[in-house]
Amino acid sequence: MLEHDVQSHYGRLEKMTDLVAMWEVALSDGIHKIEFEHGTTSGKRVIYVDGKEIIRIDWMFKLVGKETFPVGASQTKATINIDAVSGFAYEYTLDINGKSLKKYMENRSKTTNTWVLHLDGEDCRVVLEKDTMDVWCNGRNMETAGEFVDDGTETHFSIGNHDCCIKAVSSGKRREGIIHTLIVDEREIPESTE
């Protein structure tokens, strides 16, 4: 059994000798790892998302261009751009939903809140999409119940046997807008930055 594990691991390493770029993309359903192989003599292009091969082109005359593919449960559009920098040097950039990864992540920090907590021996990543009020936990879109309360709204859901609530209250300041707070078992969870 051990020999098989070593061979399969070695085979994966051997396959990825043309690995030129790797990105981690935080989406509502989790953090996805994107790896890109580019054979600069054959034009080969291979894209892996979370270790799974999703695109393979073994030979291509054109060495520059782009490859578009879906990422995550919401099938978010990702595009790898391949540009010649000089001579035989190439630059690889990743766009998410038509924006550079940096711009996408900046915008995402305005449209989502993320909390990471430890429950029942397991790390939980809870994401609130502010525009839809969808709540995700470890890649699952959670069933929620919303209610209006005196000072704002509460969105209730459960993680295992734990009662969870995201409170939304006005900050009273126009520039800050609404403040979202996650409460699990009557304990406030600090927001995390990704």
Side-chain angles (χ1 to χ4, degrees), residues 25-100:
V25 180
L27 300 177
S28 294
D29 69 330
I31 298 172
H32 298 280
K33 184 176 178 181
I34 298 170
E35 296 166 296
F36 180 55
E37 288 183 44
H38 187 221
T40 54
T41 50
S42 65
K44 174 180 88 170
R45 298 177 185 182
V46 185
I47 298 171
Y48 299 90
V49 176
D50 299 326
K52 182 176 175 236
E53 182 179 302
I54 58 161
I55 291 180
R56 173 178 286 274
I57 301 166
D58 283 318
W59 191 89
M60 192 173 221
F61 186 71
K62 191 174 174 195
L63 295 176
V64 295
K66 51 181 65 180
E67 291 296 334
T68 299
F69 54 96
V71 177
S74 58
Q75 299 287 290
T76 301
K77 184 178 135 189
T79 302
I80 295 175
N81 302 292
I82 309 156
D83 297 300
V85 180
S86 64
F88 292 102
Y90 296 89
E91 180 180 77
Y92 308 96
T93 55
L94 180 68
D95 292 346
I96 303 292
N97 280 343
K99 295 183 178 97
S100 73

Side-chain angles (χ1 to χ4, degrees), residues 16 29 32 36 58-60 104 114 131 135 147 171 185 193:
M16 298 188 71
D29 69 330
H32 298 280
F36 180 55
D58 283 318
W59 191 89
M60 192 173 221
Y104 175 80
T114 303
D131 53 350
V135 175
E147 68 174 308
S171 65
D185 297 332
T193 53

